[in-house]
Amino acid sequence: MERVCRKRIKVIVVLILSGKLEIPDSEIELTAIRAQGNGGQNVNKTSTAIHLRFDIKASSLPDYYKERLIAFNHHSITADGWVVIKAQESRSQEQNREAALARLSTLIAQAMVVEKPRRATKPTRGSKIRRVESKVRKGATKALRGKVR
């Protein structure tokens, strides 16, 4: 019978996204869970992996940030508007916690990047001429590959 050990971590966390924007610890839910994969006996008795949950809709982020995050197509964001991150790269719970928080801040930063809209342009006259000339040259080369008569 396998026991699942989950511990709530009581660490004061303030995730600073920019000079004016930060997320208080009350909005970030960190849970220590057992890591998967190799590791021998130690992995079976210690809860080093971190499960981070962040509710976008109930957060203190500005409405613009919330809208962008919910519309952002990322595998860590659920349909209900929760960010779920599992960090288990390190053998240390503290390092996994820092990695999970870093991933959350990176995700928020990626969602805030606004790409410049592409303006359709027409090819120049010179580029059209160069394209046609190269096609003619390649056609002539291929014509030489035929049977000799």
Side-chain angles (χ1 to χ4, degrees), residues 51-70:
H51 197 250
L52 180 144
R53 290 178 54 85
F54 175 68
D55 188 8
I56 298 169
K57 295 175 183 172
S59 68
S60 62
L61 290 173
D63 292 334
Y64 173 72
Y65 277 65
K66 291 179 187 180
E67 291 169 9
R68 295 276 306 183
L69 270 171
I70 291 171

Side-chain angles (χ1 to χ4, degrees), residues 18-67:
S18 67
K20 298 177 183 177
L21 190 63
E22 51 187 47
I23 300 173
D25 65 331
S26 60
E27 295 178 4
I28 300 172
E29 182 182 316
L30 294 171
T31 308
I33 58 174
R34 289 192 182 148
Q36 295 175 325
N38 301 337
Q41 287 182 336
N42 189 55
V43 83
N44 296 329
K45 60 186 181 181
T46 58
S47 299
T48 56
I50 295 293
H51 197 250
L52 180 144
R53 290 178 54 85
F54 175 68
D55 188 8
I56 298 169
K57 295 175 183 172
S59 68
S60 62
L61 290 173
D63 292 334
Y64 173 72
Y65 277 65
K66 291 179 187 180
E67 291 169 9

Side-chain angles (χ1 to χ4, degrees), residues 65-117:
Y65 277 65
K66 291 179 187 180
E67 291 169 9
R68 295 276 306 183
L69 270 171
I70 291 171
F72 192 55
N73 186 18
H74 196 270
H75 62 88
S76 296
I77 301 174
T78 65
D80 300 334
W82 283 83
V83 176
V84 179
I85 296 173
K86 183 178 180 183
Q88 60 179 8
E89 294 80 30
S90 175
R91 293 180 68 172
S92 162
Q93 189 180 89
E94 180 64 27
Q95 288 177 342
N96 284 332
R97 186 178 68 81
E98 291 172 7
L101 291 171
R103 277 200 250 161
L104 177 63
S105 64
T106 303
L107 176 70
I108 294 171
Q110 285 176 348
M112 294 307 114
V113 172
V114 179
E115 291 186 10
K116 204 166 71 171

